[in-house]
Amino acid sequence: MNKFQEISEQIKNLKIARDFLKEKYDVSEFHKTKEKFPQSAVPPTPKDEEIYKLLTAIQQLDKYIKELQDAQFKVLKEEE
C-alpha cells in the first residue's frame, strides 16, 4: 500500500471514530440544552464530565485528521 493510501485509511478510521463520538454527543442532554439555548451558558453538572471528555476527544480527532490531511497533501505534492 502506498503512503497516500495508508494516510487515507488512517483518515477514514479517525473520521469513523469521530462520527461515533459525535453521535453520542448529539443525543446527550447537554447538547439538547445547548441547542435550545445557544446563547446562554449551560451550567455544568457532574454528569457533564463525560460530555466534556467526548468533546475533547472529538476535537483531538479533528486535529489528527487535519494533520493527516496535511501530510496527505504533502505526499501528493511530492508525487507530482
Side-chain angles (χ1 to χ4, degrees):
M1 184 183 298
N2 71 28
K3 188 71 172 168
F4 184 84
Q5 290 173 326
E6 185 179 312
I7 294 172
S8 293
E9 189 65 27
Q10 290 173 344
I11 291 170
K12 181 178 130 194
N13 291 335
L14 289 176
K15 285 182 175 183
I16 289 169
R18 182 197 57 200
D19 292 345
F20 175 77
L21 294 178
K22 182 108 174 62
E23 285 176 27
K24 294 288 186 189
Y25 171 72
D26 287 346
V27 298
S28 70
E29 288 302 315
F30 181 86
H31 175 69
K32 291 174 186 172
T33 304
K34 281 298 266 183
E35 279 201 342
K36 277 186 191 173
F37 309 104
Q39 299 301 321
S40 66
V42 178
T45 66
K47 292 190 292 184
D48 292 338
E49 183 178 343
E50 290 301 314
I51 298 304
Y52 288 118
K53 287 179 184 177
L54 273 177
L55 288 173
T56 301
I58 291 167
Q59 290 170 343
Q60 286 296 312
L61 288 170
D62 282 337
K63 176 184 166 236
Y64 293 128
I65 289 167
K66 174 75 171 100
E67 286 176 7
L68 286 170
Q69 287 171 332
D70 290 345
Q72 193 177 40
F73 182 72
K74 189 175 179 180
V75 167
L76 275 177
K77 290 288 249 181
E78 290 171 358
E79 289 180 357
E80 288 181 353

